[in-house]
Short mmCIF file of all heavy atoms in Angstrom, two decimals:
data_model
loop_
_atom_site.label_atom_id
_atom_site.label_comp_id
_atom_site.label_asym_id
_atom_site.label_seq_id
_atom_site.Cartn_x
_atom_site.Cartn_y
_atom_site.Cartn_z
N CYS A 10 -11.98 56.92 43.66
CA CYS A 10 -13.45 57.13 43.57
C CYS A 10 -13.72 58.70 43.41
O CYS A 10 -14.55 59.27 44.12
CB CYS A 10 -14.12 56.64 44.82
SG CYS A 10 -13.81 54.94 45.20
N SER A 36 -5.41 79.96 43.03
CA SER A 36 -6.31 80.51 42.05
C SER A 36 -7.55 79.65 41.77
O SER A 36 -8.52 80.15 41.11
CB SER A 36 -5.53 80.73 40.72
OG SER A 36 -5.31 79.51 40.07
N LEU A 75 -4.14 63.19 48.63
CA LEU A 75 -5.07 62.99 49.76
C LEU A 75 -5.22 64.20 50.63
O LEU A 75 -6.30 64.51 51.10
CB LEU A 75 -4.62 61.77 50.56
CG LEU A 75 -4.71 60.39 49.82
CD1 LEU A 75 -3.94 59.30 50.64
CD2 LEU A 75 -6.14 60.01 49.67
N ARG A 83 -11.04 69.28 44.50
CA ARG A 83 -11.47 68.17 43.69
C ARG A 83 -10.28 67.61 42.93
O ARG A 83 -9.55 68.40 42.27
CB ARG A 83 -12.56 68.63 42.73
CG ARG A 83 -13.78 69.20 43.47
CD ARG A 83 -14.65 70.09 42.56
NE ARG A 83 -15.35 69.26 41.59
CZ ARG A 83 -15.35 69.49 40.29
NH1 ARG A 83 -14.63 70.49 39.78
NH2 ARG A 83 -16.03 68.72 39.43
N SER A 97 1.71 57.69 29.86
CA SER A 97 2.41 58.94 29.54
C SER A 97 1.60 60.15 30.12
O SER A 97 0.38 60.08 30.26
CB SER A 97 2.58 59.15 28.11
OG SER A 97 1.32 59.45 27.42
N PRO A 187 30.25 89.79 54.88
CA PRO A 187 29.77 88.43 55.25
C PRO A 187 30.01 88.21 56.75
O PRO A 187 31.10 88.59 57.28
CB PRO A 187 30.56 87.53 54.40
CG PRO A 187 31.89 88.28 54.10
CD PRO A 187 31.48 89.71 54.01
N ASP A 221 3.03 51.88 52.46
CA ASP A 221 3.08 50.43 52.30
C ASP A 221 2.46 49.98 51.01
O ASP A 221 2.98 49.02 50.37
CB ASP A 221 2.39 49.75 53.54
CG ASP A 221 3.28 49.73 54.72
OD1 ASP A 221 4.49 49.86 54.57
OD2 ASP A 221 2.70 49.64 55.86
N ASP A 303 19.42 80.35 62.82
CA ASP A 303 19.06 80.37 64.20
C ASP A 303 20.08 79.54 65.03
O ASP A 303 20.40 79.92 66.16
CB ASP A 303 17.64 79.84 64.41
CG ASP A 303 16.55 80.86 63.99
OD1 ASP A 303 16.88 82.02 63.78
OD2 ASP A 303 15.39 80.36 63.83
N PHE A 355 28.60 47.24 36.99
CA PHE A 355 28.54 47.30 38.44
C PHE A 355 27.80 48.51 39.02
O PHE A 355 27.41 48.55 40.19
CB PHE A 355 29.95 47.15 39.14
CG PHE A 355 30.90 48.30 38.84
CD1 PHE A 355 30.72 49.50 39.51
CD2 PHE A 355 31.96 48.17 38.00
CE1 PHE A 355 31.57 50.58 39.31
CE2 PHE A 355 32.85 49.20 37.79
CZ PHE A 355 32.71 50.44 38.44
N SER A 358 24.56 46.85 39.60
CA SER A 358 24.55 45.70 40.46
C SER A 358 25.25 45.91 41.80
O SER A 358 24.95 45.20 42.77
CB SER A 358 25.21 44.47 39.74
OG SER A 358 26.59 44.71 39.58
N PRO A 399 29.13 60.64 28.85
CA PRO A 399 28.46 61.45 29.93
C PRO A 399 26.93 61.29 29.91
O PRO A 399 26.28 61.35 30.98
CB PRO A 399 28.85 62.93 29.60
CG PRO A 399 29.29 62.88 28.19
CD PRO A 399 29.89 61.56 27.93
N ASP A 415 16.11 66.32 36.14
CA ASP A 415 17.18 66.61 35.17
C ASP A 415 17.85 67.98 35.40
O ASP A 415 19.01 68.07 35.19
CB ASP A 415 16.57 66.59 33.75
CG ASP A 415 17.64 66.35 32.65
OD1 ASP A 415 18.51 65.43 32.91
OD2 ASP A 415 17.64 67.02 31.67
N THR A 436 35.82 74.99 35.97
CA THR A 436 36.95 75.50 35.16
C THR A 436 38.03 74.42 34.94
O THR A 436 38.86 74.63 34.09
CB THR A 436 37.56 76.74 35.84
OG1 THR A 436 37.97 76.34 37.17
CG2 THR A 436 36.61 77.85 35.89
N ARG A 483 46.06 65.29 27.20
CA ARG A 483 47.21 66.15 27.47
C ARG A 483 47.17 67.49 26.64
O ARG A 483 47.34 68.53 27.25
CB ARG A 483 48.43 65.30 27.08
CG ARG A 483 49.82 65.91 27.45
CD ARG A 483 50.84 64.85 27.03
NE ARG A 483 52.20 65.28 27.16
CZ ARG A 483 53.27 64.61 26.66
NH1 ARG A 483 52.96 63.47 26.00
NH2 ARG A 483 54.46 65.05 26.80
N GLY A 488 45.99 74.46 27.56
CA GLY A 488 45.82 75.85 27.79
C GLY A 488 45.05 76.18 29.11
O GLY A 488 44.77 77.34 29.35
N MET A 492 45.41 73.28 35.22
CA MET A 492 45.93 71.92 34.94
C MET A 492 47.45 71.96 34.68
O MET A 492 48.05 70.87 34.48
CB MET A 492 45.22 71.36 33.74
CG MET A 492 43.75 71.18 33.84
SD MET A 492 43.36 69.89 35.07
CE MET A 492 43.84 68.43 34.18
N LYS A 503 58.49 59.10 31.47
CA LYS A 503 59.19 58.42 30.34
C LYS A 503 58.18 57.84 29.35
O LYS A 503 57.06 57.51 29.75
CB LYS A 503 60.05 57.24 30.91
CG LYS A 503 61.18 57.71 31.78
CD LYS A 503 61.97 56.51 32.37
CE LYS A 503 63.11 56.97 33.26
NZ LYS A 503 63.84 55.83 33.86
#
Side-chain angles (χ1 to χ4, degrees):
C10 306
S36 73
L75 291 169
R83 301 162 71 232
S97 72
D221 282 337
D303 286 345
F355 67 74
S358 69
D415 202 45
T436 55
R483 189 176 173 191
M492 298 292 290
K503 296 178 181 179

